[in-house]
Amino acid sequence: MSQPELSLALIGFGNVARRFITLLGETADRLDFTWKVVAIATRRHGSVVDANGVDTHRAIAAVEANQSLDHLGSAASPRSGIDVIRQVADLCGDEAAEGRLVCVETTVLDIDRGEPAVAHVRAALEGQAHVVTANKGPAAFAFHELDALAESVDRQ
């Protein structure tokens, strides 16, 4: 039986997200799935979307050299995390419907409002993606809303 391939959209690409990608690569032989990054969105370094897969080594090198990610894709990518999530949900509709689209949200959090994490989680769930977040904001500020939304699209 073949392993499912997950499509990952990374919203935020700081130390946590870059280390997450490195760990996935280091443990690939022990995982029961394969993966590809289909999008990376950052506030400082722009974004890249490619349904065929983003070269994560080049993305990490670009960010660590304080360069833009915009040049890594074949077409212009949206600037906001929400727009990237929506574009990925459209491009990866089959993966989303099959439960293989995952949004990994690791942005900086406004502790007074829980944003932009709440909006990112909401947009990802609306696009039928599973969501992993490093932020407490979505649970603290919008747990009931997001839990109901996740249940309505059969996601976690």
Side-chain angles (χ1 to χ4, degrees):
M1 184 173 176
S2 67
Q3 297 177 321
E5 181 179 64
L6 302 181
S7 294
L8 307 177
L10 307 176
I11 310 303
F13 201 54
N15 292 327
V16 171
R18 293 194 314 270
R19 183 63 183 137
F20 171 68
I21 291 305
T22 302
L23 282 171
L24 282 177
E26 291 171 356
T27 60
D29 61 334
R30 297 187 303 248
L31 301 174
D32 61 357
F33 60 90
T34 61
W35 56 275
K36 66 180 176 180
V37 172
V38 295
I40 301 171
T42 72
R43 182 177 39 173
R44 182 178 299 149
H45 301 287
S47 62
V48 58
V49 176
D50 187 338
N52 295 316
V54 173
D55 182 334
T56 57
H57 296 291
R58 287 182 62 206
I60 289 170
V63 168
E64 290 179 351
N66 204 29
Q67 297 173 347
S68 173
L69 296 172
D70 296 337
H71 70 283
L72 297 179
S74 57
S77 296
R79 294 298 292 179
S80 81
I82 292 172
D83 290 339
V84 167
I85 292 167
R86 289 179 179 150
Q87 182 178 10
V88 167
D90 287 342
L91 287 174
C92 300
D94 291 342
E95 290 93 334
E98 295 168 6
R100 296 184 296 112
L101 179 59
V102 181
C103 179
V104 180
E105 200 282 335
T106 61
T107 60
V108 175
L109 181 71
D110 172 351
I111 61 170
D112 293 324
R113 299 179 306 116
E115 294 295 350
V118 171
H120 292 149
V121 170
R122 183 183 301 114
L125 290 171
E126 288 170 348
Q128 291 189 296
H130 290 281
V131 180
V132 177
T133 183
N135 285 309
K136 296 174 186 152
F141 288 92
F143 174 79
H144 295 292
E145 172 203 349
L146 296 174
D147 185 50
L149 179 56
E151 187 172 325
S152 75
V153 296
D154 194 27
R155 295 296 180 260
Q156 302 173 356

